[in-house]
Amino acid sequence: MDLSSEKERLITQLIRETTSGNISWSVQEVPYSLGQATENYVPLYIEADYKNVKVGVYEIRYKYYMDESEFHWMESLGICIVQGHGLVVWKVEEYSPALKELFNIASYQASGIKNILGI
């Protein structure tokens, strides 16, 4: 099995487990190694425990340079596995419809909208 299919399989399992209520997502501090020594910015990082492993999904903003001095901010999504005290041991930052779906579900759950509405 190749890395791409394993990533998609993990995302699919996380979506399934989240929608069935077996995983709870919460907003957490961005792991140190995602936010240091880079111009990238992570405005939202959401984490859950899945099979005793910390899994994070996040939005990342990065500079896309048109030339040396002109750039535009671009956005992407990422998924990572975190061990210890914020050490990211695996990450993928790319667009995929499945990752977008997972990020949307996780951010909805972490937002607490159901509690606000009394659902």
Side-chain angles (χ1 to χ4, degrees):
M1 191 176 288
D2 64 79
L3 182 60
S4 179
S5 63
E6 287 178 352
K7 175 201 60 152
E8 291 299 320
R9 186 172 166 206
L10 173 63
I11 292 170
T12 302
Q13 285 179 335
L14 291 169
I15 290 170
R16 187 178 305 121
E17 294 293 323
T18 302
T19 55
S20 65
N22 296 326
I23 297 177
S24 295
W25 295 89
S26 62
V27 175
Q28 298 292 324
E29 296 262 342
V30 176
Y32 180 80
S33 58
L34 279 181
Q36 297 301 309
T38 180
E39 290 184 335
N40 297 343
Y41 173 63
V42 178
L44 181 58
Y45 175 81
I46 307 165
E47 192 174 85
D49 286 323
Y50 179 61
K51 296 186 177 184
N52 297 317
V53 174
K54 291 182 181 183
V55 178
V57 292
Y58 55 95
E59 180 180 46
I60 187 164
R61 296 181 184 156
Y62 59 93
K63 292 179 180 179
Y64 177 79
Y65 285 90
M66 306 301 282
D67 60 30
E68 288 181 15
S69 60
E70 185 179 346
F71 65 87
H72 298 283
W73 284 101
M74 304 292 284
E75 293 180 353
S76 189
L77 296 176
I79 184 170
C80 65
I81 293 177
V82 180
Q83 292 181 354
H85 300 286
L87 178 63
V88 175
V89 295
W90 175 81
K91 71 177 180 176
V92 175
E93 294 172 348
E94 63 185 21
Y95 177 80
S96 85
L99 183 54
K100 178 70 172 170
E101 179 70 14
L102 176 60
F103 182 78
N104 287 340
I105 292 168
S107 61
Y108 173 80
Q109 188 185 79
S111 72
I113 290 175
K114 285 188 174 187
N115 292 337
I116 294 168
L117 298 175
I119 299 175

